[in-house]
Amino acid sequence: MIVPLFAGLLLIGVGLAVSLQSRFAATDLAWPHHKARSLALVVWVGTLGSVLGPNLGVPGEIIGAATGLTVYASAFLIAAVCLAIAGLIVFVWVDGG
């Protein structure tokens, strides 16, 4: 029972580190005259995600009923899919730009 707890804590820590590193990436990859706007956009979207994230319970119930997962696991599944989509968009956009 303790191993999944530590694995979850490790993944939460990795997610936090990646979130904080996105601020550096936003300013490093931006044009010099857009650095502040890029950083502000990353911080604003992070705030938006912090506000909307806890509201994934209702969609989590719907997905949980369809997949057999608990409400909390379904909310994490939604977040994982959204992160995968965001990663794909960034990969395509940065690679193509």
Side-chain angles (χ1 to χ4, degrees):
M1 189 69 177
I2 194 83
V3 173
L5 172 67
F6 286 142
L9 289 173
L10 175 71
L11 291 173
I12 288 172
V14 168
L16 179 61
V18 169
S19 172
L20 293 173
Q21 286 293 339
S22 69
R23 296 175 185 190
F24 293 106
T27 57
D28 286 345
L29 296 175
W31 293 102
H33 58 283
H34 289 288
K35 288 187 183 282
R37 182 176 68 179
S38 297
L39 178 60
L41 183 62
V42 167
V43 172
W44 181 78
V45 169
T47 302
L48 185 64
S50 296
V51 171
L52 295 178
N55 294 311
L56 292 177
V58 174
E61 287 179 352
I62 296 168
I63 291 176
T67 61
L69 295 172
T70 65
V71 174
Y72 303 115
S74 299
F76 276 104
L77 179 63
I78 294 168
V81 168
C82 290
L83 281 172
I85 293 169
L88 181 65
I89 289 170
V90 169
F91 179 75
V92 169
W93 193 348
V94 170
D95 190 43

